[in-house]
Structures are given as structure tokens and as C-alpha cells.
Amino acid sequence: MSTSNEIYVELRKRLEERQYIPGSRFPSEITLAGEFGVCKVTINKIVSKLVEQGYIMRGIRGAGTRVSESWHYGRGEIAFISKLSSYPVEVLRGLQQECLHSGYAPVVFSPNSEELPQCLRTLQRKEVVGLVSIGYGPIKLNKDVPCVCVDYTLAGREDSPGVEIIGSDDYGGGRKMMEEIIRRGHRNIALFSSERFVFCSTAPVSQRICGFHSALAANGLANIIARTFYAMPNSLGDAEQCVKTILKKYPETTIVCTDSDPSAELFSYAAAQLGVDCPGKIALTGFGHVTHMKIATVNQHPERQGRLAALYIRSCLEKDMTPLDAERFVETSLDGIEYIPICGNS
């Protein structure tokens, strides 16, 4: 990187981090030349570039240069399309933080499936500069608009040309959770999912369930498939039937490991309806880190995924920005493991 470009990147960073308050006087070219040890001509070219990009504004002769008050919203709109449940809202939070930091304006749409085509036509008329979607599969507006799909179910797919896929390492998260459960002495374990049927009952087993199964198999625990129970999303009746079946077939169950926080909440409510103490007598775990329940859960760091989505779009739009080499699948971690009791059967 040339000295000139290094200075430009540093000044832009200061502006984006609001080290120079919007509306305030920007340091003079003489001051900046002295700070960075370069000639005034070099600084003049850098300042002109910042003016061109809308970061700063030159006043009439003698009035000096000021930090733009509007640049934070003047670099274009990035659309966010998702049904606004708890997890996408956390992704949106990260996206918004990066947008506000870098001068883009997030615009949010939450259409039903049948409303999606009209939503996309609206976005094309608005000429948004980027698109981030969750829950609709890969969406591509046109060849010039960088698009990101935040979706763990698409991990490793290569059939989405023109759409960047960002997600989390759910297989690794599943393994970590199950290994912690086993480490704490649990052997009578049941698995519960209300996520697989979001697509269809014959959908492939998710990476997080595969992670659970892998850890169970590695520790020599039997009946892995038989101990995995599936329910329709938001179906209390399905969940109650799963609770009944688990207690009938595996009455010694000490913990139920679920594939999402909504699955954990559904299972807990179904158990309560049947007078079963879960979480309590039977421990419970989740996946996603978006529940208020006091349970262990896998943190997929959705805010980080939102920031990565915005950074990817920025790297496509800003030619002088270093290309994004960030992870496409965010590493997971465990939260609340203190809520996994030590089992006396170890």
C-alpha cells in the first residue's frame, strides 16, 4: 500500500468512526501534511477524494473544509429481507451497526412468500446498492447488485451463482454442545427438532443434528436415530406427542437436546402442559442464543453474521476497500453451560 493510500484509509477510518464530529471543521491540509510528514499536494489529492465520496465538504474560499453531516446516509441503501423473528432481528442489528458505521442506510422488508415478487420489484425501482436476505433462499436482484443470503442450511452449497452465502458452523456447534452434555455425565439423552419440517418432512438432516449424532457415536452411545424426534414448527400437538413418546420409551431421560431455541421453548411449553418439569427435573438445551430461558444454548453470533454481510457488500461496492477475506461461516460457541447439570450416572 502506498503512503498516499495509507493516509487516505486512515482518514476515512477516522471519519467512519466519528473521530471528527459531523458538521465540525476538518483539519487543514497544512495540519494533515505536518501530521503525516508528506507534502501538501499529496494531502490535497486525498482530501479531494474524500470530498468526492461525500465524507467532507469544501466551503467557499477561506471557509475551510467541514465534515459532512449527511454522508452517513448518502452512500446508498442496503435492503434487508426477512420475516422478523428473534434470530433475524439479531442479524439485522449487526447489519445496521455496520451500515451506520460506513455510511449506508438499511431498509427493512418483511414480506410473506406471496408478497416477495412485488417486494423485489419495488427494490429494483429503488435501486438499492445491496441485498441481504434470510429465509427465502438465495435471492439475486440483478448482476450489478451484490446479494447475500444468511442461511445455515445452505452451508457448502455451490449452486447459488451471484449470491454470497454466510452462516455459522452449526455442525461444530452441535458437536460442542453434545460433547459438553456427555462430559457432564449424561447418557440418557433425547434429541428434539422442530426445524427440519420448515422445508418438508423428507428434508435432509441438518448439520446441527449431524453434529449431535457425530458426538454421540464417537462416545459409543446407542439408539441415536431412535432417540431423535421431529415435530412441525410451532405445533404444540406434535411437541406434546414427542414428550409422551420420550417418557414412554426412554423414562430415564435426563436431558433433551434441541436444534433451536424456538424448539427448546416449544418443547418446554409442551412438557409443562403435561405436568413435566423441563427444564428442571429433565434438563434442556437450545441452539441460537435468542431465548430468554435459563438453558445452555449454542451461540451462532448472528450479529457477527450481519456485520459480515454488510462488509461483503461494501467490499463489492468500494473499489478502494480491501477485499473481504472474512470467514463465510462464523464459528459457534456455547453459552449458559452452567445450566447443564452434572449427572450422577457418569
Side-chain angles (χ1 to χ4, degrees):
M1 184 184 292
S2 67
T3 299
S4 177
N5 199 41
E6 287 174 351
I7 297 170
Y8 161 74
V9 169
E10 172 60 25
L11 290 176
R12 190 181 73 174
K13 179 174 178 287
R14 293 179 187 180
L15 287 159
E16 291 178 350
E17 292 179 351
R18 291 190 175 225
Q19 293 183 35
Y20 303 124
I21 305 300
S24 67
R25 288 284 293 267
F26 190 66
S28 70
E29 293 180 7
I30 293 175
T31 299
L32 292 172
E35 176 185 351
F36 292 104
V38 295
C39 66
K40 187 179 175 183
V41 172
T42 298
I43 292 295
N44 180 266
K45 290 179 180 178
I46 294 169
V47 168
S48 295
K49 187 174 181 179
L50 292 170
V51 169
E52 181 182 336
Q53 293 178 337
Y55 284 95
I56 55 180
M57 300 178 296
R58 281 197 171 106
I60 58 176
R61 182 175 297 276
T65 304
R66 293 189 174 274
V67 179
S68 173
E69 296 184 83
S70 62
W71 80 269
H72 271 283
Y73 304 99
R75 307 190 74 190
E77 296 179 335
I78 295 177
F80 179 84
I81 303 181
S82 176
K83 295 176 182 177
L84 296 179
S85 58
S86 53
Y87 192 86
V89 166
E90 293 302 309
V91 176
L92 174 58
R93 192 187 308 278
L95 174 75
Q96 177 178 270
Q97 289 171 354
E98 184 58 36
C99 283
L100 296 178
H101 168 78
S102 55
Y104 296 91
V107 290
V108 181
F109 295 81
S110 184
N112 295 323
S113 297
E114 61 271 18
E115 297 171 328
L116 181 60
Q118 178 60 41
C119 176
L120 297 179
R121 287 193 291 271
T122 299
L123 291 176
Q124 288 173 333
R125 288 197 298 271
K126 285 177 66 65
E127 297 183 347
V128 296
V129 299
L131 171 68
V132 178
S133 65
I134 304 177
Y136 300 95
I139 297 175
K140 181 65 179 171
L141 281 182
N142 60 57
K143 65 179 181 179
D144 298 320
V145 176
C147 297
V148 180
C149 178
V150 178
D151 194 335
Y152 67 86
T153 66
L154 300 177
R157 276 181 48 167
E158 300 292 341
D159 58 345
S160 304
V163 180
E164 183 69 20
I165 306 297
I166 290 176
S168 60
D169 178 16
D170 285 7
Y171 178 86
R175 280 207 63 129
K176 288 176 188 175
M177 178 60 78
M178 188 56 68
E179 287 168 353
E180 185 63 30
I181 289 170
I182 293 170
R183 189 181 71 81
R184 290 174 177 252
H186 295 270
R187 296 297 181 270
N188 294 303
I189 303 164
L191 308 182
F192 175 75
S193 167
S194 66
E195 294 293 308
R196 184 183 184 190
F197 286 85
V198 170
F199 301 100
C200 65
S201 60
T202 57
V205 176
S206 70
Q207 287 296 301
R208 53 186 73 175
I209 293 290
C210 288
F212 296 152
H213 287 175
S214 174
L216 287 167
N219 284 274
L221 299 184
N223 302 320
I224 295 172
I225 303 302
R227 286 177 174 269
T228 305
F229 298 84
Y230 296 97
M232 290 286 288
N234 304 313
S235 173
L236 181 60
D238 269 11
E240 288 181 351
Q241 187 58 51
C242 288
V243 174
K244 292 175 183 177
T245 304
I246 289 170
L247 294 178
K248 181 178 179 179
K249 293 181 65 176
Y250 308 106
E252 303 302 318
T253 297
T254 58
I255 190 167
V256 175
C257 183
T258 72
D259 66 343
S260 74
D261 287 350
S263 290
E265 292 168 353
L266 178 64
F267 191 91
S268 178
Y269 186 69
Q273 294 295 103
L274 297 171
V276 177
D277 186 21
C278 180
K281 184 177 181 181
I282 298 176
L284 187 67
T285 67
F287 207 116
H289 192 61
V290 291
T291 182
H292 296 295
M293 295 176 66
K294 293 182 178 180
I295 60 174
T297 185
V298 177
N299 192 340
Q300 296 169 278
H301 301 285
E303 284 194 30
R304 172 64 179 161
Q305 293 182 54
R307 291 186 69 91
L308 281 176
L311 283 168
Y312 171 76
I313 290 172
R314 284 188 61 195
S315 71
C316 294
L317 297 173
E318 301 174 28
K319 295 179 181 179
D320 51 13
M321 181 178 175
T322 302
L324 180 64
D325 290 324
E327 69 271 35
R328 295 299 188 264
F329 296 99
V330 177
E331 185 175 354
T332 56
S333 60
L334 300 184
D335 285 349
I337 59 173
E338 66 272 17
Y339 295 116
I340 303 175
I342 304 296
C343 184
N345 296 331
S346 58

